[in-house]
Amino acid sequence: MEIIRYEERFKQDFIEMNKDWIQEYFTLEAHDLEQLNDIDKLMSDGAMIYFAIENEKVLSTCMTAPIKNDTWEICKFATNKNAQGKGAGKAVFKAALDYAIKKEAKKVVFVVRGDYFKIYILVYIIYIIQSYN
């Protein structure tokens, strides 16, 4: 598995994986569609997308984007169902977090809908933070 920065050839994978993930667990909202339809603008404004790739297939993807001042958001985080448990999600999440920190983020937010996912993501974030120590 290889972690790479955004490449245009994986743009549609990013869009489809995130739509599928959101529709499976949440509701696809206008804000989601805005972000997915405005990837080029988000990228030109400083966002970065990471992909976990294996055999030219996207296993997982995660975007980080500046939202104001020194605050960044980790967003559009999705993993292919067939790739769960391989560490791909952790790897792209960490790459996105590292990128925000490198860009001098003082605060990083991760908006999650649904109580189950809030608990799951909190545990996941604690796990990621511990890997920095």
Side-chain angles (χ1 to χ4, degrees), residues 39-120:
I39 293 170
D40 296 328
K41 174 154 180 12
L42 290 166
M43 295 293 287
S44 70
D45 290 345
M48 180 53 67
I49 298 170
Y50 287 90
F51 296 98
I53 306 293
E54 188 173 76
N55 299 322
E56 291 301 304
K57 301 249 189 249
V58 177
L59 304 179
S60 189
T61 185
C62 186
M63 178 168 62
T64 185
I67 51 176
K68 66 178 181 176
N69 301 327
D70 54 4
T71 301
W72 283 65
E73 179 182 16
I74 300 287
C75 52
K76 301 303 169 262
F77 177 39
T79 299
N80 180 311
K81 285 182 182 182
N82 299 323
Q84 292 178 356
K86 291 186 170 190
K90 176 186 174 193
V92 293
F93 189 97
K94 185 177 182 313
L97 186 57
D98 286 346
Y99 183 83
I101 291 167
K102 191 178 211 176
K103 294 293 183 175
E104 300 183 4
K106 301 287 187 254
K107 181 178 176 183
V108 178
V109 298
F110 189 72
V111 179
V112 181
R113 296 171 260 179
D115 290 337
Y116 170 77
F117 277 94
K118 286 178 186 172
I119 294 166
Y120 175 79

Side-chain angles (χ1 to χ4, degrees), residues 119-131:
I119 294 166
Y120 175 79
I121 295 300
L122 177 61
V123 170
Y124 196 71
I125 291 170
I126 290 168
Y127 177 73
I128 297 281
I129 290 169
Q130 288 174 346
S131 73

